[in-house]
Amino acid sequence: MINTIRADFFRLFRSKGFYITQLLLIALVALSILTKSLGSSGMSLEQLTAFQINLQDATWNSYQTVIAMSTMAAFLMYFCLPLFVMVLGYDLTKKTYKNQLAVGISRKEFFLSKYIIFLLVSALQFLFYYFFTFLTAGIRYGFGTAPDHFWLDFLRMILIQFIAFQAIFTIGLFFLLLTFSNVAAIIAVIVGGLVTGIFTAIFPNADWLKYLDFQSNLNLAWLQEMPDHYWFKAIVTACLFSVIVLLAAYQLFRKRDL
């Protein structure tokens, strides 16, 4: 399994698609910071819009910009889609997984190795996003001084974002293993991130739906003025959702006639 992980990382870092994706991400971050423009991906929420307006009116430095750019974290979904295809979709759609299974790797090891690689790659994307945000804003507006409890709040925020992010992509993994189609997986990730937001807007009194609105939770993760234990419930919901979908995806792969 270790050799599989190493081989996939080698192939990923040798791919032009990987570096094109990073350059596009850098362009988005730089443009947003230099113009002090904040956008949003998915359903438009009044809470998010008000938060972004307040952030745009504030004096920006590296720390304030990290907070501001956290409201655009859902855009990372689109920059990770090519990486998702390169890491998880390549072997399945090209059917090269048969070569690995033929040399003694079990289906469980293959499944785990692929998912571990995606976890690591997406974690690196988050770190790269915020590191480049911090550096660019520091050069443009000054590094400034960290607000009280900034780093503790930052760790809490990125944990929420990362867990919600993985919950969205488990939907893509399920459909990838169901159809062996990259297109179906990409559509599932995009649509899956929007569906709960739409239902939340249609049924505002159904509070439990808000915990399933992973895409909105990605953008709102910095906010602390939320209902009691909201983020704890959101984390638990995203973890349970991810585990259930991953188990279902593995069962599809384990029982499939390859």
Side-chain angles (χ1 to χ4, degrees), residues 188-241:
V189 170
I190 296 172
V191 174
L194 292 173
V195 167
T196 50
I198 294 172
F199 277 102
T200 301
I202 296 174
F203 305 106
N205 294 327
D207 290 338
W208 62 272
L209 278 173
K210 296 177 182 178
Y211 305 122
L212 289 169
D213 189 1
F214 305 124
Q215 192 163 333
S216 295
N217 288 336
L218 263 170
N219 292 328
L220 292 170
W222 185 271
L223 282 179
Q224 300 181 42
E225 296 80 20
M226 302 293 280
D228 289 343
H229 308 299
Y230 178 86
W231 289 121
F232 174 75
K233 294 176 182 177
I235 289 174
V236 171
T237 301
C239 287
L240 288 174
F241 181 88

Side-chain angles (χ1 to χ4, degrees), residues 7-25:
D8 281 340
F9 268 115
F10 179 79
R11 186 180 68 230
L12 180 66
F13 292 138
R14 299 263 304 184
S15 168
K16 292 181 181 178
F18 173 78
Y19 295 101
I20 292 172
T21 301
Q22 303 314 299
L23 288 173
L24 291 174
L25 179 58

Side-chain angles (χ1 to χ4, degrees), residues 148-191:
D148 293 340
H149 312 298
F150 174 84
W151 292 110
L152 184 62
D153 290 336
F154 176 78
L155 290 174
R156 177 192 61 82
M157 175 203 72
I158 203 168
L159 175 65
I160 294 168
Q161 289 183 333
F162 186 71
I163 292 174
F165 184 87
Q166 298 307 322
I168 294 171
F169 271 89
T170 56
I171 302 172
L173 177 58
F174 178 85
F175 277 90
L176 177 63
L177 292 172
L178 178 66
T179 64
F180 276 33
S181 167
N182 286 326
V183 174
I186 290 171
I187 292 173
V189 170
I190 296 172
V191 174

